[in-house]
mmCIF file of all heavy atoms in Angstrom:
data_model
loop_
_atom_site.group_PDB
_atom_site.id
_atom_site.type_symbol
_atom_site.label_atom_id
_atom_site.label_comp_id
_atom_site.label_asym_id
_atom_site.label_seq_id
_atom_site.Cartn_x
_atom_site.Cartn_y
_atom_site.Cartn_z
ATOM 1 N N LEU A 35 -11.116 52.515 80.015
ATOM 2 C CA LEU A 35 -12.269 51.537 80.292
ATOM 3 C C LEU A 35 -13.289 52.274 81.106
ATOM 4 O O LEU A 35 -12.958 52.917 82.131
ATOM 5 C CB LEU A 35 -11.650 50.318 81.160
ATOM 6 C CG LEU A 35 -12.648 49.349 81.619
ATOM 7 C CD1 LEU A 35 -13.265 48.522 80.527
ATOM 8 C CD2 LEU A 35 -12.047 48.333 82.697
ATOM 9 N N THR A 36 -14.584 52.227 80.627
ATOM 10 C CA THR A 36 -15.663 52.744 81.240
ATOM 11 C C THR A 36 -16.376 51.617 82.000
ATOM 12 O O THR A 36 -16.575 50.506 81.320
ATOM 13 C CB THR A 36 -16.696 53.376 80.420
ATOM 14 O OG1 THR A 36 -16.073 54.391 79.627
ATOM 15 C CG2 THR A 36 -17.871 53.977 81.066
ATOM 16 N N VAL A 37 -16.726 51.727 83.242
ATOM 17 C CA VAL A 37 -17.487 50.636 84.043
ATOM 18 C C VAL A 37 -18.761 51.320 84.265
ATOM 19 O O VAL A 37 -18.897 52.221 85.150
ATOM 20 C CB VAL A 37 -16.756 50.153 85.322
ATOM 21 C CG1 VAL A 37 -17.654 49.241 86.027
ATOM 22 C CG2 VAL A 37 -15.397 49.612 84.876
ATOM 23 N N ARG A 38 -19.891 50.748 83.756
ATOM 24 C CA ARG A 38 -21.232 51.334 83.962
ATOM 25 C C ARG A 38 -21.946 50.344 84.884
ATOM 26 O O ARG A 38 -21.996 49.095 84.506
ATOM 27 C CB ARG A 38 -22.028 51.513 82.602
ATOM 28 C CG ARG A 38 -23.452 51.748 82.758
ATOM 29 C CD ARG A 38 -23.668 53.211 82.946
ATOM 30 N NE ARG A 38 -25.074 53.512 83.272
ATOM 31 C CZ ARG A 38 -25.455 54.523 84.068
ATOM 32 N NH1 ARG A 38 -24.664 55.365 84.486
ATOM 33 N NH2 ARG A 38 -26.751 54.559 84.284
ATOM 34 N N ILE A 39 -22.538 50.811 85.903
ATOM 35 C CA ILE A 39 -23.276 49.966 86.826
ATOM 36 C C ILE A 39 -24.714 50.368 86.962
ATOM 37 O O ILE A 39 -25.039 51.538 87.143
ATOM 38 C CB ILE A 39 -22.683 49.941 88.255
ATOM 39 C CG1 ILE A 39 -21.229 49.511 88.199
ATOM 40 C CG2 ILE A 39 -23.462 49.038 89.249
ATOM 41 C CD1 ILE A 39 -20.436 49.706 89.419
ATOM 42 N N LEU A 62 -9.830 42.939 78.347
ATOM 43 C CA LEU A 62 -10.725 42.009 79.013
ATOM 44 C C LEU A 62 -10.026 41.003 79.795
ATOM 45 O O LEU A 62 -10.404 40.747 80.994
ATOM 46 C CB LEU A 62 -11.657 41.350 77.902
ATOM 47 C CG LEU A 62 -12.622 40.421 78.504
ATOM 48 C CD1 LEU A 62 -13.551 40.877 79.517
ATOM 49 C CD2 LEU A 62 -13.491 39.900 77.235
ATOM 50 N N VAL A 65 -7.753 43.343 82.789
ATOM 51 C CA VAL A 65 -8.388 44.374 83.558
ATOM 52 C C VAL A 65 -9.773 44.241 83.849
ATOM 53 O O VAL A 65 -10.280 44.068 84.975
ATOM 54 C CB VAL A 65 -8.176 45.778 82.952
ATOM 55 C CG1 VAL A 65 -8.665 46.850 83.819
ATOM 56 C CG2 VAL A 65 -6.591 45.987 82.564
ATOM 57 N N ALA A 66 -10.639 44.065 82.772
ATOM 58 C CA ALA A 66 -12.011 43.926 82.882
ATOM 59 C C ALA A 66 -12.492 42.654 83.599
ATOM 60 O O ALA A 66 -13.431 42.717 84.378
ATOM 61 C CB ALA A 66 -12.737 44.070 81.530
ATOM 62 N N ALA A 67 -11.766 41.587 83.339
ATOM 63 C CA ALA A 67 -12.126 40.312 83.968
ATOM 64 C C ALA A 67 -12.093 40.492 85.561
ATOM 65 O O ALA A 67 -12.845 39.895 86.167
ATOM 66 C CB ALA A 67 -11.127 39.182 83.499
ATOM 67 N N HIS A 69 -12.768 43.043 87.254
ATOM 68 C CA HIS A 69 -13.895 43.753 87.679
ATOM 69 C C HIS A 69 -15.189 42.883 87.655
ATOM 70 O O HIS A 69 -15.951 42.958 88.584
ATOM 71 C CB HIS A 69 -14.094 45.112 86.815
ATOM 72 C CG HIS A 69 -13.165 46.102 87.134
ATOM 73 N ND1 HIS A 69 -13.403 47.096 88.218
ATOM 74 C CD2 HIS A 69 -12.052 46.519 86.539
ATOM 75 C CE1 HIS A 69 -12.304 47.964 88.131
ATOM 76 N NE2 HIS A 69 -11.530 47.559 87.223
ATOM 77 N N ILE A 70 -15.254 42.128 86.512
ATOM 78 C CA ILE A 70 -16.347 41.213 86.479
ATOM 79 C C ILE A 70 -16.422 40.265 87.577
ATOM 80 O O ILE A 70 -17.382 39.999 88.256
ATOM 81 C CB ILE A 70 -16.419 40.618 85.138
ATOM 82 C CG1 ILE A 70 -16.660 41.578 84.034
ATOM 83 C CG2 ILE A 70 -17.402 39.321 85.004
ATOM 84 C CD1 ILE A 70 -16.292 41.016 82.574
ATOM 85 N N TYR A 82 -18.536 46.134 96.073
ATOM 86 C CA TYR A 82 -17.679 46.324 94.943
ATOM 87 C C TYR A 82 -17.296 47.722 94.797
ATOM 88 O O TYR A 82 -16.057 48.052 94.507
ATOM 89 C CB TYR A 82 -18.401 45.837 93.679
ATOM 90 C CG TYR A 82 -17.757 46.364 92.398
ATOM 91 C CD1 TYR A 82 -16.577 45.690 91.894
ATOM 92 C CD2 TYR A 82 -18.215 47.436 91.810
ATOM 93 C CE1 TYR A 82 -16.050 46.062 90.789
ATOM 94 C CE2 TYR A 82 -17.556 47.909 90.646
ATOM 95 C CZ TYR A 82 -16.538 47.240 90.116
ATOM 96 O OH TYR A 82 -15.880 47.675 88.974
ATOM 97 N N CYS A 107 -12.564 50.789 75.798
ATOM 98 C CA CYS A 107 -13.553 49.654 76.074
ATOM 99 C C CYS A 107 -14.447 50.031 77.158
ATOM 100 O O CYS A 107 -14.288 51.070 77.818
ATOM 101 C CB CYS A 107 -12.641 48.457 76.561
ATOM 102 S SG CYS A 107 -11.244 47.955 75.518
ATOM 103 N N GLY A 108 -15.517 49.079 77.265
ATOM 104 C CA GLY A 108 -16.531 49.471 78.461
ATOM 105 C C GLY A 108 -16.978 48.146 78.896
ATOM 106 O O GLY A 108 -17.069 47.123 78.356
ATOM 107 N N LEU A 109 -17.436 48.264 80.198
ATOM 108 C CA LEU A 109 -18.175 47.154 80.809
ATOM 109 C C LEU A 109 -19.510 47.652 81.250
ATOM 110 O O LEU A 109 -19.653 48.878 81.722
ATOM 111 C CB LEU A 109 -17.428 46.711 82.136
ATOM 112 C CG LEU A 109 -16.277 45.748 82.121
ATOM 113 C CD1 LEU A 109 -15.712 45.568 83.459
ATOM 114 C CD2 LEU A 109 -16.709 44.461 81.494
ATOM 115 N N HIS A 110 -20.564 46.901 81.215
ATOM 116 C CA HIS A 110 -21.822 47.216 81.742
ATOM 117 C C HIS A 110 -22.338 46.137 82.589
ATOM 118 O O HIS A 110 -22.334 44.988 82.192
ATOM 119 C CB HIS A 110 -22.852 47.406 80.535
ATOM 120 C CG HIS A 110 -24.190 47.814 81.009
ATOM 121 N ND1 HIS A 110 -25.317 47.271 80.648
ATOM 122 C CD2 HIS A 110 -24.583 48.659 81.925
ATOM 123 C CE1 HIS A 110 -26.382 47.813 81.194
ATOM 124 N NE2 HIS A 110 -25.991 48.682 82.060
ATOM 125 N N PHE A 111 -22.645 46.445 83.789
ATOM 126 C CA PHE A 111 -23.109 45.539 84.759
ATOM 127 C C PHE A 111 -24.650 45.904 84.997
ATOM 128 O O PHE A 111 -24.954 46.934 85.507
ATOM 129 C CB PHE A 111 -22.515 45.659 86.178
ATOM 130 C CG PHE A 111 -21.031 45.364 86.184
ATOM 131 C CD1 PHE A 111 -20.207 46.049 86.993
ATOM 132 C CD2 PHE A 111 -20.503 44.375 85.301
ATOM 133 C CE1 PHE A 111 -18.847 45.828 87.006
ATOM 134 C CE2 PHE A 111 -19.162 44.078 85.377
ATOM 135 C CZ PHE A 111 -18.273 44.762 86.210
ATOM 136 N N PHE A 118 -23.743 40.882 82.299
ATOM 137 C CA PHE A 118 -22.551 41.421 82.075
ATOM 138 C C PHE A 118 -22.329 41.614 80.569
ATOM 139 O O PHE A 118 -22.574 40.801 79.863
ATOM 140 C CB PHE A 118 -21.381 40.670 82.712
ATOM 141 C CG PHE A 118 -21.541 40.426 84.214
ATOM 142 C CD1 PHE A 118 -22.058 39.211 84.618
ATOM 143 C CD2 PHE A 118 -21.102 41.384 85.040
ATOM 144 C CE1 PHE A 118 -22.181 39.072 85.956
ATOM 145 C CE2 PHE A 118 -21.161 41.111 86.484
ATOM 146 C CZ PHE A 118 -21.761 39.967 86.886
ATOM 147 N N ARG A 119 -21.839 42.758 80.228
ATOM 148 C CA ARG A 119 -21.577 43.065 78.806
ATOM 149 C C ARG A 119 -20.283 43.822 78.722
ATOM 150 O O ARG A 119 -19.901 44.763 79.428
ATOM 151 C CB ARG A 119 -22.678 43.926 78.165
ATOM 152 C CG ARG A 119 -22.529 44.159 76.779
ATOM 153 C CD ARG A 119 -23.712 45.060 76.189
ATOM 154 N NE ARG A 119 -24.953 44.455 76.495
ATOM 155 C CZ ARG A 119 -25.950 45.193 77.268
ATOM 156 N NH1 ARG A 119 -25.621 46.362 77.696
ATOM 157 N NH2 ARG A 119 -27.089 44.663 77.589
ATOM 158 N N PHE A 120 -19.413 43.391 77.690
ATOM 159 C CA PHE A 120 -18.199 44.114 77.435
ATOM 160 C C PHE A 120 -18.172 44.571 76.059
ATOM 161 O O PHE A 120 -18.560 43.903 75.138
ATOM 162 C CB PHE A 120 -16.966 43.071 77.536
ATOM 163 C CG PHE A 120 -15.595 43.633 77.275
ATOM 164 C CD1 PHE A 120 -15.004 44.445 78.231
ATOM 165 C CD2 PHE A 120 -15.026 43.501 76.082
ATOM 166 C CE1 PHE A 120 -13.733 44.972 77.978
ATOM 167 C CE2 PHE A 120 -13.715 43.990 75.776
ATOM 168 C CZ PHE A 120 -13.120 44.778 76.744
ATOM 169 N N TRP A 121 -17.696 45.773 75.788
ATOM 170 C CA TRP A 121 -17.619 46.316 74.469
ATOM 171 C C TRP A 121 -16.211 46.882 74.133
ATOM 172 O O TRP A 121 -15.582 47.308 74.997
ATOM 173 C CB TRP A 121 -18.766 47.365 74.105
ATOM 174 C CG TRP A 121 -18.688 48.500 74.985
ATOM 175 C CD1 TRP A 121 -19.466 48.745 76.102
ATOM 176 C CD2 TRP A 121 -17.963 49.688 74.867
ATOM 177 N NE1 TRP A 121 -19.184 50.041 76.615
ATOM 178 C CE2 TRP A 121 -18.212 50.580 75.937
ATOM 179 C CE3 TRP A 121 -16.871 50.128 73.951
ATOM 180 C CZ2 TRP A 121 -17.618 51.808 76.027
ATOM 181 C CZ3 TRP A 121 -16.268 51.289 74.048
ATOM 182 C CH2 TRP A 121 -16.649 52.163 75.149
ATOM 183 N N ILE A 129 -21.880 38.476 78.281
ATOM 184 C CA ILE A 129 -21.202 37.539 79.149
ATOM 185 C C ILE A 129 -22.218 36.949 80.121
ATOM 186 O O ILE A 129 -23.149 37.652 80.687
ATOM 187 C CB ILE A 129 -20.102 38.314 79.996
ATOM 188 C CG1 ILE A 129 -19.122 38.864 79.007
ATOM 189 C CG2 ILE A 129 -19.582 37.441 81.106
ATOM 190 C CD1 ILE A 129 -18.134 39.864 79.635
#
Side-chain angles (χ1 to χ4, degrees):
L35 177 68
T36 303
V37 177
R38 171 86 191 151
I39 302 170
L62 179 52
V65 183
H69 286 276
I70 293 168
Y82 166 79
C107 305
L109 277 176
H110 180 225
F111 300 142
F118 301 95
R119 183 180 310 118
F120 177 80
W121 59 261
I129 299 169

